[in-house]
């Protein structure tokens, strides 16, 4: 959990990016858990250059457009897109829903309610 080397840290169960990571962001999209340089470029290419541009977007449509533009895409990308849209669309976020793997088909939000 060292922040001196630019790693993510946790405070109060919320994933936070360190100042060093924040300074390296190109579009701001990398504040979204699960979005690194490659997925950031995918989102920009698909017309989502900012977190705000993802607000209330349709993750299924993003995934369909991604597949149409570059051929078959791993289904895991849909789960990342679902997580990204959730992040962009909510100010108060459930920490469990900031993990892309919790957006797999068949997972329900109530599975993570305490």
């Amino acid at each position: 959990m060292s922040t001196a080397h630019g790693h993510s840290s946790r405070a109060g169960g919320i994933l936070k990016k360190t100042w060093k990571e924040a300074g390296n962001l190109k579009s701001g999209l990398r504040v979204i858990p699960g979005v690194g340089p490659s997925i950031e470029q995918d989102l920009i290419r698909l017309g989502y250059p900012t977190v705000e541009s993802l607000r209330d977007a349709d993750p299924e449509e993003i995934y369909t457009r991604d597949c149409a533009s570059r051929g078959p895409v791993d289904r895991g990308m849909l789960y990342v897109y679902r997580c990204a849209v959730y992040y962009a669309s909510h100010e108060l976020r459930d920490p469990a829903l900031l993990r892309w793997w919790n957006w797999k088909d068949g997972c329900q939000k109530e599975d993570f309610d305490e």
Side-chain angles (χ1 to χ4, degrees):
M1 191 158 81
S2 168
T3 58
H5 299 290
H7 298 289
S8 296
S9 64
R10 288 197 180 273
I14 298 172
L15 184 66
K16 294 183 175 182
K17 298 287 184 178
T18 64
W19 65 269
K20 187 173 182 180
E21 287 172 308
N24 290 330
L25 303 180
K26 180 177 180 180
S27 65
L29 290 167
R30 285 194 249 167
V31 300
I32 301 170
V35 175
S38 177
I39 294 174
E40 174 188 42
Q41 289 305 307
D42 292 336
L43 287 167
I44 291 169
R45 177 179 50 78
L46 292 165
Y48 300 92
T50 64
V51 173
E52 180 62 32
S53 67
L54 285 166
R55 184 180 305 265
D56 299 321
D58 180 352
E60 303 282 337
E61 187 219 337
I62 298 170
Y63 179 72
T64 299
R65 288 180 45 226
D66 197 8
C67 290
S69 71
R70 61 181 178 145
V73 177
D74 186 277
R75 186 99 176 139
M77 286 298 293
L78 172 58
Y79 313 146
V80 173
Y81 295 151
R82 287 174 178 167
C83 182
V85 169
Y86 170 79
Y87 181 94
S89 301
H90 296 85
E91 289 185 31
L92 297 175
R93 302 172 185 105
D94 181 338
L97 295 176
L98 297 178
R99 298 181 183 113
W100 66 263
W101 54 89
N102 288 334
W103 289 94
K104 291 180 181 179
D105 297 331
C107 287
Q108 301 296 317
K109 182 184 181 321
E110 48 274 5
D111 293 340
F112 307 105
D113 290 339
E114 297 179 330

